[in-house]
Amino acid sequence: MNAWLVAVLVAGGASVSALLLWLSRVLSERGPDDRRFKDRPPPFWRLTWWLVLPIAFHLGPWLSVRARHAQLERLRRAGLAFALSPEQFAAGKCVASLVAAGLVALAWSPRGVAPLWLVVAAALLGFALPDSWQRDRIE
């Protein structure tokens, strides 16, 4: 076998291993989540809770105080203030985006690789759906 091919395979294996290690550490880091005095989260969030918590933990510092207060007010009006935090709602939007993009890629897989524009459109739609659902609950 060619030494160049071996080097590429070793580098690729090391990269995948490093990515998996990083991903396992990110998913294992969760902030404290005391749910004793809280309501149950909505069904989508319950199903994806194992992803929502670590994303919310890492996303929290990136949310501005203004965005956090605005989202908390929308959660209160939707009757979800005791079920989700603003960080958890934002994390749910990210997870919905990933799920939508993944579903489109999976549905397209018998035809080959899904077009990038279609995956991006699905991700954007998935990101917008929780906001739409929240507006419907408020109304």
Side-chain angles (χ1 to χ4, degrees):
M1 202 182 315
N2 188 336
W4 184 181
L5 181 61
V6 171
V8 169
L9 289 176
V10 168
S15 298
V16 169
S17 298
L19 178 67
L20 290 176
L21 179 64
W22 173 79
L23 191 59
S24 70
R25 286 187 179 172
V26 166
L27 290 178
S28 67
E29 291 176 353
R30 302 169 183 219
D33 187 39
D34 185 9
R35 305 239 15 120
R36 285 180 289 178
F37 304 107
K38 293 190 173 192
D39 298 339
R40 287 180 62 184
F44 176 77
W45 276 264
R46 277 196 309 268
L47 288 173
T48 58
W49 201 245
W50 61 277
L51 268 176
V52 167
L53 284 180
I55 292 173
F57 177 74
H58 291 285
L59 189 63
W62 293 89
L63 286 179
S64 69
V65 173
R66 183 177 177 188
R68 190 175 285 119
H69 285 301
Q71 185 57 254
L72 188 58
E73 177 60 24
R74 287 191 297 274
L75 287 169
R76 187 192 60 73
R77 287 188 290 150
L80 297 169
F82 291 106
L84 295 172
S85 69
E87 294 85 1
Q88 291 165 346
F89 186 82
K93 290 174 60 167
C94 294
V95 171
S97 177
L98 292 172
V99 167
L103 286 175
V104 164
L106 183 66
W108 197 275
S109 65
R111 299 182 194 108
V113 178
L116 181 62
W117 69 267
L118 189 60
V119 174
V120 169
L124 291 173
L125 181 65
F127 192 78
L129 278 176
D131 286 328
S132 176
W133 169 78
Q134 186 182 41
R135 277 192 300 273
D136 288 346
R137 279 192 59 116
I138 291 170
E139 290 175 6

